Amino acid sequence: LYAAVNRTKSSLGARQLRARLAFPKTDPAEIEKAWSQVEAWTKNPQLLRELRDQLSQVGDLERRLTRMAPVTANGRDLRSLQE
């Protein structure tokens, strides 16, 4: 299923998708809210394209921040945050 629906533009997005597929929402109110958000994005495809373009340039920010622990961070990691 993941391979069939994965059109994410970042590693963070891919991890979020995997998590949502593994643990889907069960609360009807949460599901309705999610569908409303999807509907809003589908009504404005140009804004969605712009957001996806920007997200594709972010890189794996979550991984970079995780590596900022004093024991594992190196100069290259710190420099990658500057980009």
Side-chain angles (χ1 to χ4, degrees):
L1 178 61
Y2 173 78
V5 299
N6 182 19
R7 294 188 306 159
T8 58
K9 292 291 187 176
S10 67
S11 297
L12 176 60
R15 280 193 295 276
Q16 284 287 329
L17 176 60
R18 248 186 247 109
R20 296 225 173 141
L21 291 174
F23 303 101
K25 296 177 186 288
T26 56
D27 178 26
E30 287 183 27
I31 295 169
E32 183 62 38
K33 181 179 175 184
W35 275 110
S36 295
Q37 292 169 342
V38 169
E39 183 180 28
W41 284 112
T42 57
K43 287 183 178 180
N44 195 340
Q46 178 60 33
L47 186 59
L48 178 59
R49 273 191 295 277
E50 291 171 12
L51 176 63
R52 287 174 60 85
D53 288 343
Q54 290 175 0
L55 288 174
S56 69
Q57 298 172 23
V58 170
D60 197 346
L61 185 59
E62 184 179 46
R63 184 193 65 79
R64 290 177 185 166
L65 291 174
T66 301
R67 294 208 44 179
M68 291 299 109
V71 176
T72 60
N74 60 38
R76 187 183 314 171
D77 294 325
L78 295 172
R79 213 170 327 151
S80 72
L81 288 174
Q82 189 177 25
E83 298 173 354

